[in-house]
Amino acid sequence: MKSFTEYLIFNVKNRRKFVNITPEIRKLVSKSKILEGLCLVNAMHITASVFINDNEIGLLNDYDRWLEELAPHEPTDQYDHNKTGEDNADAHLKRQIMGRETVVAITNGELDFGPWEQIFYGEFDGRRPKRVLVKIIGE
Amino acid sequence: MKSFTEYLIFNVKNRRKFVNITPEIRKLVSKSKILEGLCLVNAMHITASVFINDNEIGLLNDYDRWLEELAPHEPTDQYDHNKTGEDNADAHLKRQIMGRETVVAITNGELDFGPWEQIFYGEFDGRRPKRVLVKIIGE
Amino acid sequence: MKSFTEYLIFNVKNRRKFVNITPEIRKLVSKSKILEGLCLVNAMHITASVFINDNEIGLLNDYDRWLEELAPHEPTDQYDHNKTGEDNADAHLKRQIMGRETVVAITNGELDFGPWEQIFYGEFDGRRPKRVLVKIIGE
């Protein structure tokens, strides 16, 4: 069995943004030289997500608006967590909807994807560097 | 290490439906001859889910009604994504609640499940064939 | 390839509670003697979750209140599932938001975690013993 570990860093300028990280993940799959296995991609911070969906700007806007409806940022004092001095409780909630991680099959040395699958980093409390972990095991 | 890959195809007649795919997955686990490992089951399309819950028709109705409340199909012009000519933005949102994938332990050659766990394919924009990926690695 | 399987039991006194299970999982990772691999942790019951977020009591309260808004327990007769004699349909819905499972990278024999990542067991229909599965594969 082989294993491969790498960390990506994202420093999003705004509070919230979706970043298509598929090209970076493809490069790491290739670098790992693993032909058959599983690839875990996860946010290492708890106010960010990694998820798979469509790279269509209208949809990404829809996600942003929808998450703001389900877990609004304002008023910040509606959340107990923000009594700690933080203002990011909503980001912890949004991240639960979108998920922490994805596990992707590696087949013949490539991400085994359907036609529209793309991997996104979802930032809900940006303006500082955050890490994403990529772990691949297989042969 | 052994690996096993197979693709299932589902062609749901309605826009939305939940299909219990546990029997198909059990057959593939048996076919893989892998005794100890991990089994990834994921939707390859971004308007569908794979998730684990209870095979009880009332609950499946509750999920359907609840998802329609959280991310209604109508009016379709409330979503930017539908400006592309699609009418399935709600399906992309529903899929995020229910999830893309599940990872299940294989122990002694079987799905290592609690008493009520069943694997479902959740279709949110059906009426065409779509694929589910099953990838098992282990020994 | 090595594999390691263990089951944890939780018996939460209340209907709903979040329990930080990171110390138990760390012990099992150490016991497994696996240095590089993947660790699956999943609820084996369908009214409970395993997820990763922040060990901050205010945030855990926020989650509880938010989940009650998204999927209220009362009135119990709003759910078809409860016609079976159950009163826990809301717990099945809450569990979908928070998720069934997490997959964590094992690197150098440890959970490969960001600074604030902690693993929680989320109980939404407690007052009875329930199991969590830990499966680690790697080398």
Side-chain angles (χ1 to χ4, degrees):
Chain A
M1 200 203 79
K2 285 192 221 173
S3 71
F4 175 90
T5 311
E6 202 149 314
Y7 308 90
L8 300 172
I9 296 177
F10 297 95
N11 195 344
V12 167
K13 297 280 180 292
N14 303 320
R15 185 181 291 275
R16 295 199 304 272
K17 193 175 180 186
F18 297 114
V19 183
N20 185 349
I21 63 174
T22 319
E24 284 91 334
I25 307 302
R26 280 195 208 284
K27 272 180 217 154
L28 295 180
V29 170
S30 172
K31 190 176 164 189
S32 78
K33 298 199 160 64
I34 290 171
L35 299 178
E36 298 292 324
L38 294 178
C39 174
L40 167 69
V41 187
N42 71 263
M44 299 185 79
H45 292 255
I46 54 197
T47 51
S49 285
V50 168
F51 68 96
I52 288 178
N53 218 295
D54 194 3
N55 189 23
E56 197 281 302
I57 184 66
L59 179 66
L60 299 177
N61 290 341
D62 291 330
Y63 278 133
D64 188 59
R65 200 163 37 226
W66 181 61
L67 292 168
E68 256 300 283
E69 278 166 31
L70 292 179
H73 179 65
E74 303 270 1
T76 55
D77 67 2
Q78 74 189 289
Y79 299 109
D80 283 0
H81 180 57
N82 291 339
K83 292 176 188 164
T84 62
E86 298 278 3
D87 70 349
N88 66 5
D90 65 300
H92 292 271
L93 276 54
K94 288 170 168 118
R95 117 79 167 247
Q96 290 307 118
I97 300 278
M98 300 306 275
R100 167 188 180 261
E101 77 214 14
T102 188
V103 177
V104 183
I106 306 293
T107 305
N108 294 324
E110 311 228 8
L111 295 172
D112 197 341
F113 263 177
W116 302 103
E117 288 190 285
Q118 297 282 308
I119 307 176
F120 284 88
Y121 174 70
E123 177 61 82
F124 305 116
D125 187 37
R127 300 158 304 173
R128 53 201 164 106
K130 288 182 172 179
R131 287 189 302 160
V132 165
L133 168 61
V134 182
K135 186 101 188 183
I136 310 173
I137 70 170
E139 268 183 351
Chain B
M1 201 203 80
K2 285 192 222 173
S3 71
F4 174 91
T5 313
E6 202 149 315
Y7 308 91
L8 301 171
I9 295 176
F10 297 96
N11 194 345
V12 168
K13 296 281 180 292
N14 303 322
R15 184 181 293 274
R16 295 200 304 272
K17 193 175 180 187
F18 297 113
V19 183
N20 185 349
I21 63 174
T22 318
E24 284 90 334
I25 307 300
R26 280 195 208 283
K27 272 181 218 154
L28 295 180
V29 170
S30 173
K31 190 176 164 190
S32 78
K33 299 199 161 64
I34 290 172
L35 300 179
E36 297 293 324
L38 294 178
C39 174
L40 167 70
V41 187
N42 71 265
M44 299 185 79
H45 292 254
I46 52 196
T47 51
S49 286
V50 168
F51 67 95
I52 288 178
N53 218 296
D54 194 2
N55 189 24
E56 197 280 304
I57 184 67
L59 179 66
L60 300 177
N61 290 341
D62 291 330
Y63 278 134
D64 188 59
R65 199 163 36 226
W66 181 60
L67 291 167
E68 256 300 283
E69 278 166 33
L70 292 179
H73 179 65
E74 305 270 358
T76 56
D77 66 2
Q78 75 189 289
Y79 300 109
D80 283 1
H81 179 57
N82 291 340
K83 292 177 190 165
T84 62
E86 298 278 1
D87 70 349
N88 66 4
D90 66 299
H92 292 270
L93 275 54
K94 288 171 169 115
R95 116 76 168 248
Q96 289 308 119
I97 299 278
M98 300 306 274
R100 166 188 181 260
E101 76 215 12
T102 189
V103 176
V104 183
I106 306 295
T107 305
N108 295 325
E110 311 228 8
L111 295 172
D112 196 340
F113 263 176
W116 303 103
E117 288 190 284
Q118 296 282 309
I119 307 175
F120 285 88
Y121 174 69
E123 177 60 84
F124 306 116
D125 186 38
R127 302 159 302 174
R128 54 202 163 104
K130 288 181 171 179
R131 288 189 301 160
V132 165
L133 168 61
V134 182
K135 185 102 190 182
I136 309 174
I137 70 170
E139 265 183 353
Chain C
M1 200 203 79
K2 285 191 221 174
S3 71
F4 175 91
T5 312
E6 201 147 317
Y7 308 91
L8 301 171
I9 297 178
F10 297 96
N11 194 345
V12 167
K13 296 280 179 293
N14 303 321
R15 184 181 294 273
R16 296 201 302 272
K17 194 175 179 187
F18 297 114
V19 183
N20 185 349
I21 64 174
T22 318
E24 284 91 335
I25 307 301
R26 280 195 207 284
K27 272 180 216 155
L28 296 180
V29 170
S30 173
K31 190 176 165 190
S32 78
K33 298 200 162 63
I34 289 172
L35 299 179
E36 298 291 324
L38 295 178
C39 174
L40 168 71
V41 187
N42 71 264
M44 299 186 78
H45 293 255
I46 53 196
T47 51
S49 286
V50 169
F51 68 95
I52 288 178
N53 218 296
D54 194 2
N55 189 24
E56 197 281 304
I57 184 66
L59 179 66
L60 299 176
N61 290 340
D62 291 330
Y63 278 134
D64 188 58
R65 200 163 37 226
W66 181 60
L67 291 167
E68 257 299 283
E69 279 166 31
L70 292 179
H73 179 65
E74 305 270 359
T76 56
D77 67 2
Q78 75 188 290
Y79 300 108
D80 283 0
H81 179 57
N82 290 340
K83 292 178 189 164
T84 62
E86 298 279 2
D87 69 350
N88 65 5
D90 65 300
H92 291 269
L93 275 53
K94 288 170 169 116
R95 117 77 168 247
Q96 289 307 120
I97 299 278
M98 301 306 276
R100 166 188 181 260
E101 77 215 12
T102 189
V103 177
V104 183
I106 306 294
T107 305
N108 294 323
E110 311 229 8
L111 296 172
D112 196 341
F113 264 177
W116 303 102
E117 289 191 284
Q118 297 282 307
I119 307 175
F120 285 88
Y121 174 69
E123 176 61 84
F124 306 116
D125 187 37
R127 301 158 303 174
R128 54 199 163 108
K130 289 181 171 179
R131 287 190 302 160
V132 165
L133 168 61
V134 182
K135 185 101 190 183
I136 309 174
I137 70 169
E139 267 183 351

